[in-house]
Amino acid sequence: MVYEILKRLSDAHGVSGSEGSVFRIIRKELDGCVDEIREDPMGNLVAVKKGNDFSVMIAAHMDEIGVMVKFIDEKGFIRFITLGGWYLPSLYAQRIILHGSRGAVRGVIGGKPVHKMDEDDRKKPIRLDDMFIDVGATSRDEAVALGIEIGTPGTIDRECVELANGRITGKAFDNRVGAAMLIKVLKNVKSPLTLYGVFTVQEEVGLKGARTSAYALDPDCAIATDVTIPGDHPGIEPRDAAVEMGKGPVITIVDASGRGLIASRTINKWLLDAARARDLPVQVEVGTGGTTDASSIHLERGGIPSTTVSIPARYIHSPVEVVDLNDIEAGVQVLLEALKKKPKI
Ligand code: CO
Ligand code: ZN
């Protein structure tokens, strides 16, 4: 079941630049299932399944959005920067875990109580300067003694749980969903091709690990696995996001209105043919919003034909992301089927 590994990955903590504990879970999970596992200089985990001389890179970013300590005041309150694209009101009043030199420290993101806000305050979205982390310390020295220092990373404290209809909610489905898919693919793949499963770092802060690993591996084609935005709930219209949760994995035609990725038609046809061959549900997307690792991979070397297979995830970049397990299972199957033969490049 993909749920078990996804829950473990989502409940793990790995903000951009501090992906170590996610890395360790994945390495252990893949141990004995691939021909080679290594860490590259950026911290990417590269898992290799050896095959013929045609190589496919599948990338899944390990990092999640979070925070980093930038200042501790004399009363022990902690100021922070955000890492990744937060909508600030969804950070306010969350429980947080700081990953200090002496282990995990629990805290909350506090701010001015609503009772003390004037009319104007209440109408305005909260700013970063209005928030701080309270770990219970009463002085800077106490905070420091807990192992907290300038540069300590923090992540949301929220466990993955099941909802109705095979749907689940957790804090880091962007992109532990992609990581879980890639693990399942690596464990079950039967392919004549060489497969590079790359669990990348620092996607949420500029698609960085994907860029260096694609350069180093120089694959013949690439697929990023990630999440995307479904337009199937209040507040968003299908015309603004045409895919739906529960209707299958999504193959990108274009993302960020073409500024991110214009996907390879050949690679897309390869995946769509695979879905058709097995009668698997699949959706296609012309997106206007975010990008994925594929945006940086396809520009490496002399150009690497690339696309993205993503899973519709509601409320992404919040602590309560929601996905449908059936979409993930179908995504794995589409990839496994495609990898049985090489794309016609
Ligand atoms: Co993201
Ligand atoms: Zn992502």
Coordinates of all heavy atoms in Angstrom, one line a residue, residues 1-43:
M1 N 0.8 -1.2 0.0 CA 0.0 0.0 0.0 C 0.9 1.3 0.0 O 1.8 1.4 0.8 CB -0.9 0.0 1.3 CG -2.3 -0.3 1.0 SD -3.2 1.1 0.1 CE -3.8 2.0 1.5
V2 N 0.5 2.2 -0.8 CA 1.3 3.4 -0.9 C 1.0 4.3 0.3 O 1.9 5.1 0.7 CB 1.0 4.2 -2.2 CG1 -0.4 4.8 -2.2 CG2 2.1 5.2 -2.5
Y3 N -0.1 4.1 1.0 CA -0.4 4.9 2.2 C 0.7 4.8 3.2 O 1.1 5.8 3.8 CB -1.8 4.6 2.7 CG -2.1 5.4 4.0 CD1 -2.3 6.8 3.9 CD2 -2.2 4.8 5.3 CE1 -2.6 7.5 5.0 CE2 -2.4 5.6 6.4 CZ -2.6 6.9 6.3 OH -2.9 7.7 7.4
E4 N 1.1 3.6 3.5 CA 2.0 3.4 4.6 C 3.3 4.2 4.4 O 3.8 5.0 5.3 CB 2.3 1.9 4.8 CG 3.1 1.5 6.0 CD 4.6 1.6 5.7 OE1 5.1 1.4 4.6 OE2 5.3 1.9 6.7
I5 N 3.9 4.1 3.2 CA 5.2 4.8 3.0 C 4.9 6.3 2.8 O 5.7 7.1 3.3 CB 5.9 4.2 1.7 CG1 7.2 5.0 1.5 CG2 5.1 4.3 0.5 CD1 8.3 4.8 2.5
L6 N 3.8 6.7 2.2 CA 3.5 8.1 2.1 C 3.3 8.8 3.5 O 3.8 9.9 3.7 CB 2.3 8.3 1.2 CG 1.8 9.8 1.1 CD1 2.9 10.7 0.6 CD2 0.6 9.9 0.1
K7 N 2.6 8.1 4.4 CA 2.4 8.7 5.7 C 3.8 8.9 6.4 O 4.0 9.9 7.0 CB 1.5 7.8 6.6 CG 1.4 8.3 8.0 CD 0.4 7.6 8.8 CE 0.5 7.9 10.3 NZ 0.4 9.3 10.6
R8 N 4.6 7.9 6.3 CA 6.0 8.0 6.9 C 6.7 9.2 6.3 O 7.4 9.9 7.0 CB 6.8 6.7 6.8 CG 6.7 5.8 8.0 CD 7.8 4.8 8.0 NE 7.5 3.8 6.9 CZ 8.5 3.3 6.1 NH1 9.8 3.6 6.4 NH2 8.2 2.4 5.2
L9 N 6.6 9.3 5.0 CA 7.4 10.4 4.4 C 6.8 11.8 4.7 O 7.5 12.7 4.9 CB 7.4 10.2 2.8 CG 8.2 9.0 2.3 CD1 7.9 8.8 0.8 CD2 9.7 9.4 2.5
S10 N 5.5 11.9 4.7 CA 4.8 13.1 5.0 C 5.0 13.6 6.4 O 5.2 14.8 6.7 CB 3.3 13.1 4.7 OG 2.7 14.3 5.0
D11 N 5.1 12.6 7.3 CA 5.3 12.9 8.8 C 6.8 13.2 9.1 O 7.1 13.7 10.1 CB 4.8 11.8 9.7 CG 3.3 11.6 9.6 OD1 2.6 12.5 9.1 OD2 2.7 10.7 10.2
A12 N 7.7 12.8 8.1 CA 9.1 13.2 8.3 C 9.3 14.7 8.0 O 8.4 15.3 7.5 CB 9.9 12.3 7.4
H13 N 10.5 15.2 8.4 CA 10.7 16.6 8.3 C 11.9 16.9 7.4 O 13.0 16.4 7.6 CB 10.9 17.2 9.7 CG 9.7 17.0 10.5 ND1 8.6 17.9 10.5 CD2 9.3 16.0 11.3 CE1 7.7 17.5 11.3 NE2 8.1 16.3 11.8
G14 N 11.7 17.7 6.4 CA 12.8 18.1 5.5 C 12.6 19.3 4.7 O 12.1 19.3 3.5
V15 N 12.8 20.5 5.4 CA 12.6 21.7 4.6 C 13.8 21.8 3.6 O 14.8 21.2 3.8 CB 12.5 22.9 5.6 CG1 13.9 23.1 6.3 CG2 12.0 24.2 4.9
S16 N 13.6 22.7 2.6 CA 14.7 22.9 1.6 C 16.0 23.1 2.3 O 16.2 24.0 3.1 CB 14.3 24.1 0.7 OG 13.0 24.0 0.3
G17 N 17.0 22.3 1.9 CA 18.4 22.5 2.4 C 18.6 21.6 3.6 O 19.8 21.5 4.1
S18 N 17.6 21.0 4.1 CA 17.7 20.1 5.3 C 16.9 18.8 5.1 O 16.1 18.4 5.9 CB 17.2 20.8 6.6 OG 17.8 22.1 6.7
E19 N 17.2 18.2 4.0 CA 16.3 17.0 3.6 C 16.8 15.7 4.2 O 16.3 14.6 3.9 CB 16.3 16.9 2.1 CG 15.7 18.1 1.3 CD 16.7 19.2 1.0 OE1 17.8 19.2 1.5 OE2 16.3 20.1 0.2
G20 N 17.8 15.7 5.1 CA 18.5 14.5 5.6 C 17.6 13.4 6.1 O 17.8 12.3 5.8
S21 N 16.6 13.8 6.9 CA 15.8 12.7 7.5 C 14.9 12.0 6.5 O 14.6 10.8 6.5 CB 15.0 13.1 8.7 OG 14.4 14.3 8.5
V22 N 14.5 12.8 5.5 CA 13.7 12.2 4.4 C 14.6 11.3 3.5 O 14.2 10.2 3.1 CB 13.1 13.3 3.5 CG1 12.2 12.7 2.4 CG2 12.2 14.2 4.3
F23 N 15.8 11.8 3.3 CA 16.8 11.1 2.5 C 17.0 9.7 3.2 O 17.0 8.6 2.5 CB 18.1 11.9 2.6 CG 19.3 11.3 1.8 CD1 19.7 11.8 0.6 CD2 19.9 10.1 2.3 CE1 20.8 11.3 -0.1 CE2 21.0 9.6 1.6 CZ 21.4 10.2 0.4
R24 N 17.2 9.7 4.5 CA 17.5 8.4 5.2 C 16.3 7.4 5.1 O 16.5 6.2 5.0 CB 17.8 8.7 6.7 CG 19.2 9.3 6.8 CD 19.7 9.4 8.3 NE 19.0 10.4 9.0 CZ 19.3 11.7 9.0 NH1 20.3 12.1 8.3 NH2 18.6 12.6 9.7
I25 N 15.1 7.9 5.2 CA 13.9 7.0 5.1 C 13.9 6.4 3.7 O 13.7 5.2 3.5 CB 12.6 7.8 5.3 CG1 12.5 8.2 6.7 CG2 11.4 6.9 4.8 CD1 11.3 9.1 7.0
I26 N 14.2 7.2 2.6 CA 14.1 6.7 1.3 C 15.3 5.7 1.0 O 15.1 4.6 0.4 CB 14.2 7.9 0.3 CG1 12.9 8.7 0.4 CG2 14.3 7.3 -1.2 CD1 13.0 10.0 -0.3
R27 N 16.5 6.0 1.5 CA 17.6 5.1 1.3 C 17.3 3.7 1.9 O 17.6 2.7 1.3 CB 18.9 5.7 1.9 CG 20.1 4.8 1.5 CD 21.4 5.4 1.8 NE 21.5 5.9 3.2 CZ 22.4 6.7 3.6 NH1 23.4 7.2 2.8 NH2 22.5 7.1 4.9
K28 N 16.8 3.8 3.1 CA 16.5 2.5 3.8 C 15.4 1.7 3.0 O 15.5 0.5 2.9 CB 16.0 2.8 5.2 CG 16.2 1.7 6.2 CD 16.2 2.1 7.6 CE 15.8 0.9 8.5 NZ 14.9 1.3 9.5
E29 N 14.4 2.4 2.6 CA 13.3 1.8 1.8 C 13.8 1.2 0.5 O 13.3 0.1 0.1 CB 12.3 2.9 1.5 CG 10.9 2.5 1.1 CD 10.2 1.6 2.2 OE1 10.5 1.8 3.4 OE2 9.4 0.8 1.7
L30 N 14.8 1.8 -0.1 CA 15.3 1.3 -1.4 C 16.4 0.3 -1.3 O 16.8 -0.4 -2.3 CB 15.7 2.4 -2.3 CG 14.6 3.4 -2.8 CD1 15.3 4.5 -3.6 CD2 13.6 2.6 -3.6
D31 N 16.9 0.1 -0.1 CA 18.0 -0.8 0.2 C 17.8 -2.2 -0.4 O 16.8 -2.8 -0.1 CB 18.3 -0.8 1.7 CG 19.7 -1.3 1.9 OD1 20.6 -1.0 1.1 OD2 19.9 -2.0 2.9
G32 N 18.6 -2.6 -1.3 CA 18.5 -4.0 -1.8 C 17.5 -4.0 -3.0 O 17.4 -5.1 -3.7
C33 N 16.8 -2.9 -3.4 CA 15.9 -2.9 -4.5 C 16.4 -2.3 -5.7 O 15.8 -2.4 -6.8 CB 14.6 -2.1 -4.1 SG 13.8 -2.7 -2.6
V34 N 17.6 -1.7 -5.6 CA 18.2 -1.0 -6.8 C 19.7 -1.4 -6.9 O 20.2 -2.0 -6.0 CB 18.1 0.5 -6.7 CG1 16.6 1.0 -6.9 CG2 18.7 1.1 -5.4
D35 N 20.3 -1.1 -8.1 CA 21.7 -1.6 -8.3 C 22.7 -0.7 -7.6 O 23.8 -1.1 -7.3 CB 22.0 -1.6 -9.8 CG 21.1 -2.6 -10.5 OD1 21.0 -3.7 -10.0 OD2 20.5 -2.2 -11.5
E36 N 22.3 0.6 -7.3 CA 23.2 1.5 -6.7 C 22.5 2.7 -6.1 O 21.5 3.1 -6.6 CB 24.1 2.1 -7.9 CG 25.4 2.7 -7.5 CD 26.1 3.3 -8.8 OE1 26.1 2.6 -9.8 OE2 26.5 4.5 -8.7
I37 N 22.9 3.1 -4.9 CA 22.3 4.3 -4.3 C 23.5 5.2 -3.9 O 24.5 4.7 -3.3 CB 21.6 4.0 -3.0 CG1 20.4 3.0 -3.3 CG2 21.0 5.2 -2.4 CD1 19.6 2.7 -2.1
R38 N 23.4 6.5 -4.2 CA 24.5 7.4 -3.8 C 23.9 8.7 -3.5 O 22.8 9.1 -3.9 CB 25.6 7.4 -4.8 CG 25.1 7.9 -6.2 CD 26.3 8.0 -7.2 NE 25.9 8.6 -8.4 CZ 25.6 8.0 -9.5 NH1 25.7 6.7 -9.5 NH2 25.2 8.6 -10.6
E39 N 24.7 9.5 -2.7 CA 24.4 10.9 -2.5 C 25.3 11.8 -3.3 O 26.5 11.5 -3.3 CB 24.5 11.2 -1.0 CG 24.2 12.6 -0.6 CD 24.3 12.9 0.9 OE1 24.6 12.0 1.6 OE2 24.0 14.1 1.2
D40 N 24.7 12.7 -4.0 CA 25.6 13.6 -4.8 C 26.0 14.8 -4.0 O 25.5 15.0 -2.8 CB 25.0 13.9 -6.2 CG 23.9 15.0 -6.1 OD1 23.7 15.6 -5.0 OD2 23.3 15.3 -7.2
P41 N 26.9 15.7 -4.5 CA 27.4 16.8 -3.7 C 26.3 17.8 -3.2 O 26.5 18.4 -2.2 CB 28.4 17.5 -4.6 CG 28.8 16.4 -5.6 CD 27.6 15.6 -5.8
M42 N 25.2 17.9 -3.9 CA 24.1 18.8 -3.5 C 23.3 18.1 -2.4 O 22.5 18.8 -1.7 CB 23.2 19.1 -4.7 CG 23.7 20.1 -5.7 SD 23.7 21.8 -5.0 CE 22.0 22.2 -5.3
G43 N 23.4 16.8 -2.2 CA 22.5 16.1 -1.3 C 21.4 15.4 -1.9 O 20.5 14.8 -1.2

